[in-house]
Amino acid sequence: MKHLLNALGPALFALTLLLPPGLHAEEPAPAETPRQLPRVVILATGGTIAGAGASAANSATYQAAKVPVEQLLAGVPQLAELAAVRGEQVLQLASESFGNEQLLALGRRVAELAENPEVDGIIITHGTDTLEETAYFLTLVERTDKPIVLVGSMRPGTALSADGALNLYNAVAVAGNPQARGKGVLVTLNDEIHSGRDVSKALNIKTEAFKSPWGPLGMVVEGKSYWFRLPAKRHTLNSEFDIRQIASLPRVDIAYAYGNLDDTAYRAFAGAGARAIVHAGTGNGSVAAPVVPALRALRKEGLQIIRASRADQGGFVLRNAEQPDDQYDWLVAHDLNPQKARILAMVALSKTQDSRELQRIFWEY
């Protein structure tokens, strides 16, 4: 009998392969593990992305900061496919009204959320006028590798072809993506991902308003991020600054250069209590001859003088190239535009007054 079974074994096995599938013994299918969505918090501050116009034809004439965060999120139900999203209304204003107190309050809230293990990414909806300044401030003071993404829009949600909903969708896609960790503070508009250090508002009507002189870091297509380069300067987790150690920010002002310039603005800023003045100079941060004596005198009185360039798409100031900065003990802003140079000067002055240390900071950040 044993020999008979051995002989028939292969034949019986082949026969089982010919049986209808329903006659095979079935094993229970393994239970699918539910996909864990990233947890993203959206901090709303107002701006055009929360704006409303009188009609759908109004894309440039509208009132900013009118739509609360709950309504903003409800208008993009597809966010639930990307992340577990919740919103907080931390401010509700047009971003041209952002001041130092708003920067500090927002920075502290971001730091609290970044420490929370239940938060994977943070988004700030922001008006576009000063979005680049807030983005750079957070780049300097947030000690985390978690994605922090700023987003805005150039058209209110009530307008034809409004861009806010897709911008917000893309921001959630980036903030919830582990690949965004460690890349610093990011800005997403018009399908592009920019570094918060580099980006600036170059146009005020078109939806492709934000540009980086060295190019975007990547782009977002149908909820997927594509990366092309990394930030080279110090930021976030590698920064020497910490929002939790900054109680206040000193006054720093910007004086804009033009033909027929005199020293009126510089002396007025000094009289108002400025600790530093950013000279938004022509070309290589050039300083008109009639202004040089006043700036030298102000430096001797203790004010820091910072030469920046008003060129808006890649101004690059070389030390000692246009003025003898070493001799005058002035600083240069490197490739930072004047408004970003002001942000860095405020943060740096909260830590040191030494001009050599300040210049090091401008090279590294």
Side-chain angles (χ1 to χ4, degrees):
M1 187 66 172
K2 181 178 180 181
H3 294 294
L4 180 61
L5 289 175
N6 288 338
L8 294 177
L12 291 173
F13 175 73
L15 183 60
T16 62
L17 296 179
L18 297 177
L19 292 175
L23 297 182
H24 287 289
E26 293 185 1
E27 296 184 4
E32 291 188 6
T33 303
R35 183 168 66 98
Q36 180 67 45
L37 290 175
R39 298 155 297 183
V40 173
V41 178
I42 298 179
L43 301 179
T45 70
T48 300
I49 195 169
S55 77
N58 292 124
S59 62
T61 305
Y62 55 87
Q63 288 185 305
K66 291 296 179 184
V67 179
V69 65
E70 294 83 3
Q71 187 175 338
L72 195 65
L73 300 185
V76 194
Q78 295 83 359
L79 298 180
E81 302 169 6
L82 299 175
V85 177
R86 65 179 176 89
E88 292 182 18
Q89 192 76 51
V90 293
L91 295 167
Q92 186 69 297
L93 75 167
S95 71
E96 67 269 20
S97 298
F98 249 71
N100 290 354
E101 291 306 313
Q102 284 79 20
L103 281 178
L104 290 168
L106 178 62
R108 291 174 185 133
R109 183 57 184 143
V110 170
E112 290 172 355
L113 291 171
E115 291 178 342
N116 187 341
E118 300 299 314
V119 174
D120 299 311
I122 302 161
I123 292 172
I124 297 112
T125 62
H126 200 289
T128 58
D129 280 358
T130 59
L131 184 150
E132 65 193 87
E133 297 172 48
T134 300
Y136 189 42
F137 177 74
L138 298 176
T139 294
L140 298 171
V141 302
E142 300 298 336
R143 301 295 302 275
T144 182
D145 68 343
K146 291 183 180 180
I148 301 171
V149 182
L150 278 82
V151 64
S153 71
M154 294 304 296
R155 296 170 179 166
T158 53
L160 294 169
S161 256
D163 56 325
L166 182 56
N167 287 346
L168 183 58
Y169 180 83
N170 288 343
V172 172
V174 173
N177 189 340
Q179 291 183 350
R181 293 182 75 105
K183 292 182 171 65
V185 175
L186 306 169
V187 174
T188 60
L189 284 98
N190 200 45
D191 299 335
E192 294 179 330
I193 309 170
H194 290 268
S195 164
R197 178 196 185 269
D198 297 340
V199 75
S200 64
K201 186 176 180 179
L203 304 168
N204 71 333
I205 293 293
K206 297 181 179 180
T207 55
E208 66 269 27
F210 280 73
K211 309 290 183 183
S212 293
W214 318 124
L217 300 183
M219 62 186 298
V220 188
V221 180
E222 296 182 351
K224 185 175 181 180
S225 304
Y226 297 86
W227 302 91
F228 304 118
R229 70 178 183 92
L230 298 174
K233 299 292 186 176
R234 292 178 66 178
H235 60 77
T236 52
L237 202 58
N238 295 318
S239 176
E240 65 196 85
F241 308 108
D242 190 333
I243 185 63
R244 293 162 293 193
Q245 298 173 2
I246 301 175
S248 62
L249 294 169
R251 176 167 184 157
V252 176
D253 290 297
I254 302 171
Y256 196 87
Y258 50 88
N260 201 41
L261 182 66
D262 65 19
D263 62 13
T264 302
Y266 304 90
R267 294 195 179 279
F269 286 140
R275 297 263 300 282
I277 296 175
V278 178
H279 169 75
T282 54
N284 183 25
S286 302
V287 183
V291 178
V292 171
L295 296 189
R296 295 188 66 184
L298 292 174
R299 178 68 194 106
K300 289 179 180 179
E301 294 172 10
L303 271 75
Q304 299 290 343
I305 304 300
I306 305 162
R307 290 197 304 115
S309 175
R310 73 180 198 183
D312 62 359
Q313 281 301 303
F316 195 102
V317 181
L318 297 174
R319 189 168 178 84
N320 297 313
E322 197 279 335
Q323 292 287 335
D325 298 298
D326 288 345
Q327 178 184 338
Y328 296 165
D329 197 24
W330 292 352
L331 307 172
V332 298
H334 195 23
D335 66 322
L336 294 174
N337 64 27
Q339 54 269 35
K340 288 179 183 285
R342 172 184 168 270
I343 293 291
L344 181 55
M346 289 194 301
V347 172
L349 284 168
S350 71
K351 183 176 182 180
T352 182
Q353 313 295 316
D354 182 79
S355 60
R356 291 186 179 181
E357 270 294 282
L358 291 170
Q359 187 61 76
R360 173 193 65 79
I361 289 168
F362 269 93
W363 292 137
E364 293 183 10
Y365 292 86

